[in-house]
Amino acid sequence: MTQHGSNQPIAAETRPWLDPEAQPFISIRGITKRFGTFTAVNNINLDIFRGELFCLLGGSGCGKSTLLRMLAGFEAPTEGQILIDGQDMAKVPPDKRPTNMMFQSYALFPHMTVEKNVAYGLLREGKSKREAYARVAEMLRLVKLETLAKRKPHQLSGGQRQRVALARSLIKQPKLLLLDEPLGALDKKLREETQFELIRIQESLGVTFIVVTHDQDEAMTLATRIGVMNEGEIRQVGEPREIYEEPNSKFVADFIGSVNLFEGRVEAAAPDLMRLQTDELGPVVTLPRSGLSRNQRIWVALRPERITLSRVRPDAATNVVSGVVQEVGYMGHMSNFRVRLDGGRVIRVTQSNRLRDEDPISWDEPIFASWSPAAVRVLTE
Amino acid sequence: MNALTRSPVWRGTAWLFGRLGLSGRGLVIAIPMLWFLVFFLVPFFVLGRISLAEPRIALPPYTPLFERGPDGSLQIIASLENYWFLWEDALYRNAYLSSIRIAVISTVFALLIGYPIAYYIARSPEPRQSILLLMVILPFWTSFLLRVYAWMGFLRREGVINNMLMSMGVIDTPLVMLQTDFAVLIGIVYTYLPFMILPLYANLTKLDSAHLEAAADLGASPMVTFFTVTLPLSMPGIIAGSMLVFIPAIGEYVIPALLGGPDTLMIGRVLWDEFFSSRDWPVASAVAIVMLVLVVAPIMWLQSVQNRRELD
Amino acid sequence: MARGWFLPVAVVLGFVFLYAPIISLVVFSFNESRLVTVWGGFSTRWYGELLRDRQILGAAWISLQVAFASATVATAIGTLAAFVLTRFGGFRGRLLLTGMATAPLVMPEVITGLSLLLLFVSMELTLGWPAGRGLTTIIIAHTTFCAAFVAVIAQSRLRDMDESLEEAARDLGAGPVRVFFDITLPVIAPALVAGWLLAFTLSLDDLVIASFVSGPGASTLPMVIFSKVRLGVSPDVNALATIIIGIVAVSVVTAGVLIRRRAKREG
């Protein structure tokens, strides 16, 4: 079971997507899926590498599940091509694909015991019963279910069912495991524990995972890379940090975490700093970025936690605005503020509560909000 | 079930189907398709064709569709005479109308009797709910014919009801109840009452009690709540139950034959008599075709409309 | 509506309406007198007569054979029809099959009976089969309308069933036929048992269709009972009714207890 693990470096460390020479394991080329007049997936191109834990992230109806089902073979693409390990999947039915899937509903066979559920795939491969059940026992140990082998699915808790589903989908050692909202049915605490469990299993088996999820925290924790989807299209592909810090569009910036967006234009690019002009923040200074021209329309994106609130005006001449605290939400480790700027715009700010005996900023206080040039992200679309 | 899937017959069948591979899909469609085509759809064409024939004393008792004329040419023998006969004779028109009338009245009565029962069962706590439900279904599993027969013993001149009323001194002379339209109504309501209760129950039990509590909270009395919340929400159940009573009632033969009098006209009975007593197969076929067009087709249309509405 | 006297009274009257005739049937089956509704002392003589009545026993045997055969074939055909309609997506003739599999439910029995008889007569004239009418023709007729009932039950179960169960089995390497036998059938099995039982009861109960399509020498139990009661009430029919009611009550209660016990065990 662990034969892949130790001798092969894991994708999270080698980051093969940075190497233009690297051969992708899965190639999705121009895939489109239409149901009648509705386009569920629209011309998607995507390469995924061996050993990756790739997350498809998006709201409901964004086409992420349809894409996953096309990889598994349950839906046929209207246009385009899917290659897995160099092999075209167009004519390969689901039962002949080198993939397995973990279903959102788990889809455990209700009339079979845990053991039989897990053994099902091996027996279809023509393995002998003895061999199959030996492997099943080993797999059940990996997911810590060895004592429940003879139970039926309805006698298990939600978390246990989830692990049976995982064991069943891994038993055939697929080259690619597809997971449809694998943690969606678990409660919050269990979900957090299970996230790390999934990563442990994925790394120890060396299987490539593609996970569909609507939960951005889950995607950020699990993924080597994330593909953000909306209306059947992939809006951005990147490592979690990249998606958060360098969103390529207003949509992605707003979808991942929360963000304050301000419309503006480019005023001048100095050698070390760039000057922007916005209606709501006034002049804004940021680090220079190539590809922008003077007077180009842009949006300034500021994450709430990158803004600092203070009662006295900071020394800097730019990147400071004044306003009044409108609301405070105390969360314990941090506080959320809504600040009404003098121009009337309300922005979101979060401040971590690092000191215990600090005199906290409160309702209706006039304050200054400031940020460093490096905190500003300039978006063009 | 596992013992079954391990059995050699089962595995053999599975293997055989597997061998057939992709053509299996066509085969799987073909089996039910052919069965229903041959034994359900084709018979209606035969029915239609014989309704155009003339009766004759022979085997079979109708004229063939094609006949060689004296000069050897093929002639088609078909006439609408049977339909004209149905139109001319008031008996048939009255039978159709009377069937509809009896079916409508019994459906209304079944609803009036069934609704409180269904409502009560749906609001009962377990295990009373299951037991009452079982008691509603139980008569359905016993023979339909015998349940109708039971009413013969109840309604006849020397029957249970007359005996009871006379011994209590309510009446002096026995009431005539058997062999009346009234007896037919009772028989239909009695027989199909479970068909009314079950869909109503299924509907009412899904009714969220929060709706009722919300209505009460907003100041509606129980009566007002019933008429403004429960009744409108149970409309799908009322429609389903009414259909299940109305449809078998309209073509009923057994109940009018056993409980009705000689003058109780119902179209199912007319068809039966035309076939078995008069041995006039073409006229019986014409009665059936008219019934299909006037009664069955509208019901199927209504049902498909209803289904489509539920899907939306 | 929940309080007050109206509802309980209506319910009690409703159940009296449902059960009084049945109870009187049972009571008078133990009546010594031939006059069914006049009490003449306790007796089991009508049961004795019933057991000596070769016509009734023969008809009961025929009815059981017909019901068993048609329920079984109807379950197979109805399940296939339901599977095709819920799992095969679009195919040519889909609408036709939908119509043909639901229309028998609303078809008056007299029409079904007459049209099938005319079919059998025409088939015999042109194809030479079926030769005469009897057991076979009744089984075919019953199978057809019972299959429609099974198809309805099976379809609703198949629609409720989580389709990802079947996809999961495909995903784990089972071909479509294998999936049907390994997953679909076992999961919908309880609905098929219910469908079979319903078909069995419907077949056992049918008078009208059987009367049309049967031939001499193949009278089902309802046909014999009908010819008896048409002439008036008859105490041995009461005895027969009591036996049938007894069998039904015992099996329904047993089934109820079994289901309850199983539900408790599976928690």
Side-chain angles (χ1 to χ4, degrees), chain A residues 12-28:
Chain A
E13 284 159 14
T14 59
R15 300 163 82 193
W17 49 91
L18 297 179
D19 175 7
E21 298 291 299
Q23 277 298 313
F25 178 51
I26 294 144
S27 265
I28 296 170

Side-chain angles (χ1 to χ4, degrees), chain B residues 41-303:
Chain B
L41 199 61
V42 172
F44 292 120
F45 291 103
V46 180
L47 194 70
R49 165 235 180 292
I50 291 175
S51 75
L52 300 176
E54 287 163 23
R56 68 175 187 193
I57 302 171
L59 258 176
Y62 51 85
T63 53
L65 187 59
F66 301 103
E67 206 165 52
R68 297 234 172 249
D71 55 343
S73 66
L74 214 55
Q75 292 180 322
I76 299 177
I77 306 178
S79 75
L80 292 171
E81 198 155 323
N82 297 315
Y83 292 98
W84 182 243
F85 174 65
L86 295 189
W87 176 253
E88 289 250 281
D89 193 335
L91 169 85
Y92 298 99
R93 220 174 312 143
N94 290 341
Y96 282 112
L97 292 177
S98 151
S99 291
I100 293 173
R101 185 175 55 91
I102 290 179
V104 167
I105 298 174
S106 14
T107 305
V108 170
F109 273 99
L111 180 62
L112 291 179
I113 300 174
Y115 200 105
I117 299 182
Y119 185 92
Y120 183 80
I121 296 177
R123 292 272 155 269
S124 290
E126 287 288 0
R128 199 203 295 162
Q129 193 175 56
S130 305
I131 293 169
L132 288 177
L133 202 59
L134 194 68
M135 280 178 66
V136 169
I137 301 171
L138 203 58
F140 168 76
W141 290 94
T142 67
S143 165
F144 154 67
L145 190 54
L146 291 173
R147 276 181 295 143
V148 177
Y149 165 73
W151 280 99
M152 290 175 72
F154 245 55
L155 297 174
R156 60 208 294 258
R157 211 178 140 77
E158 318 83 36
V160 176
I161 292 180
N162 273 328
N163 283 353
M164 227 159 68
L165 292 179
M166 300 226 316
S167 67
M168 289 190 318
V170 181
I171 50 172
D172 306 323
T173 51
L175 298 170
V176 180
M177 290 178 289
L178 195 60
Q179 302 201 331
T180 60
D181 286 5
F182 168 72
V184 175
L185 281 178
I186 286 199
I188 292 176
V189 171
Y190 178 71
T191 307
Y192 298 115
L193 189 57
F195 289 180
M196 178 63 87
I197 295 178
L198 291 179
L200 277 175
Y201 161 81
N203 176 280
L204 287 168
T205 194
K206 271 187 292 186
L207 190 78
D208 192 349
S209 60
H211 289 310
L212 306 184
E213 282 158 14
D217 186 58
L218 295 169
S221 70
M223 213 54 169
V224 171
T225 304
F226 177 78
F227 284 105
T228 55
V229 179
T230 311
L231 199 59
L233 284 176
S234 61
M235 231 29 220
I238 293 176
I239 292 171
S242 302
M243 288 286 233
L244 285 180
V245 175
F246 182 81
I247 290 167
I250 193 130
E252 189 57 56
Y253 165 71
V254 176
I255 296 172
L258 291 182
L259 302 180
D263 55 342
T264 304
L265 271 181
M266 283 193 80
I267 197 63
R269 197 179 178 195
V270 168
L271 191 155
W272 176 288
D273 289 341
E274 212 57 73
F275 180 83
F276 284 101
S277 311
S278 320
R279 302 201 56 77
D280 191 337
W281 292 20
V283 166
S285 303
V287 171
I289 293 285
V290 173
M291 202 165 158
L292 269 175
V293 173
L294 291 187
V295 179
V296 181
I299 287 173
M300 290 186 68
W301 177 77
L302 257 176
Q303 275 197 329

Side-chain angles (χ1 to χ4, degrees), chain A residues 69 95 100-101 105 120, chain C residues 162 164 167 170-172 182:
Chain A
R69 290 170 60 78
D95 45 316
N100 281 124
M101 180 151 168
S105 65
Y120 191 83
Chain C
D162 181 3
S164 58
E167 288 174 350
R170 280 308 295 278
D171 187 61
L172 292 167
D182 276 0

Side-chain angles (χ1 to χ4, degrees), chain C residues 103-123:
Chain C
L105 303 176
V106 298
M107 200 53 66
E109 291 168 311
V110 281
I111 296 185
T112 311
L114 176 63
S115 62
L116 271 168
L117 169 76
L118 298 179
L119 174 82
F120 291 138
V121 170
S122 316
M123 279 172 79

Side-chain angles (χ1 to χ4, degrees), chain A residues 94-112:
Chain A
D95 45 316
K96 302 281 193 291
R97 293 200 180 194
T99 63
N100 281 124
M101 180 151 168
M102 189 183 149
F103 290 81
Q104 183 173 14
S105 65
Y106 306 147
L108 299 180
F109 307 136
H111 55 298
M112 297 184 192

